[in-house]
Amino acid sequence: MIIRWLRHAESEANAGLKSSSPATIPLTAQGRTAAAHFAEALTLAPEVVVVSEYTRARETAAPILARFPHVRRLTLPVHEFTFLCPSRCRDTTHHDRKSMVEAYWQRDDPEYVDGVDAESFAQFRARVRSSLVEIAGLECGYVLVVSHGQVMQLVRAAVTARSLDAVTMADVRRAILSQPIANLALFEMRPADLRL
């Protein structure tokens, strides 16, 4: 089985606009156009498309699913890592949250939960693991996962380490800063690439 992870297209938050909820951030007009072009350029239909339930991932997946209407769709919790309390971040931009983001990662506590509807790094890793186990159990040859940058950073680091448990917060933060994942970038792996 080949698993290709796709980061969603440009969202309003990526473009520097304010957001009110991590789950409901839509794509920009440019992001919707780019997602449509990405779908048109696909030459091989996946057998299963796994989609995060977040709006920007669903909007990215929509033209792929429209192009390949017989492909099975599966929604799994491969959504973004919500490490900051969403109510504290309502109606803010990435720039507005910068000091809170830096403080979170500097704390380097995988069990810390910032507030209601936030998750710890340990919870995030466990959520991604459960999704990977479910994906690996699909009986097919090609799965496309429409997801988010921090999820992909965790999975990519786990493949390098050959284990999710070996990946630390510092590993993920270092990857985010030194090897950012662009919108609509792909990362390919196989279930055998890491121990779950």
Side-chain angles (χ1 to χ4, degrees), residues 90-158:
R90 187 170 287 120
D91 296 322
T92 62
T93 66
H94 175 73
H95 179 74
D96 297 333
R97 296 186 296 272
K98 188 172 182 181
S99 63
M100 290 187 283
V101 168
E102 289 175 4
Y104 173 83
W105 290 103
Q106 285 175 2
R107 179 186 288 268
D108 197 26
D109 179 355
E111 302 297 332
Y112 173 72
V113 178
D114 190 57
V116 176
D117 295 328
E119 64 185 333
S120 70
F121 182 80
Q123 291 168 329
F124 168 57
R125 189 169 49 197
R127 172 169 60 81
V128 171
R129 179 193 318 278
S130 69
S131 295
L132 278 166
V133 167
E134 192 159 347
I135 292 165
L138 296 170
E139 294 187 9
C140 63
Y142 170 24
V143 178
L144 179 65
V145 183
V146 184
S147 187
H148 304 263
Q150 291 176 108
V151 176
M152 291 172 65
Q153 293 287 12
L154 174 62
V155 173
R156 189 165 69 179

Side-chain angles (χ1 to χ4, degrees), residues 17-106:
L17 302 176
K18 290 183 179 182
S19 58
S20 58
S21 164
T24 60
I25 300 167
L27 297 182
T28 61
Q30 181 177 330
R32 286 190 297 278
T33 299
H37 289 153
F38 179 89
E40 289 169 14
L42 282 177
T43 56
L44 179 64
E47 294 168 60
V48 180
V49 175
V50 173
V51 185
S52 152
E53 65 265 26
Y54 280 21
T55 300
R56 55 199 180 274
R58 287 187 291 110
E59 290 180 344
T60 301
I64 298 168
L65 293 165
R67 173 138 189 250
F68 304 111
H70 302 297
V71 167
R72 178 179 168 205
R73 176 192 169 148
L74 179 62
T75 301
L76 289 177
V78 291
H79 55 271
E80 190 60 282
F81 180 25
T82 304
F83 57 87
L84 295 178
C85 178
S87 63
R88 287 195 311 124
C89 299
R90 187 170 287 120
D91 296 322
T92 62
T93 66
H94 175 73
H95 179 74
D96 297 333
R97 296 186 296 272
K98 188 172 182 181
S99 63
M100 290 187 283
V101 168
E102 289 175 4
Y104 173 83
W105 290 103
Q106 285 175 2

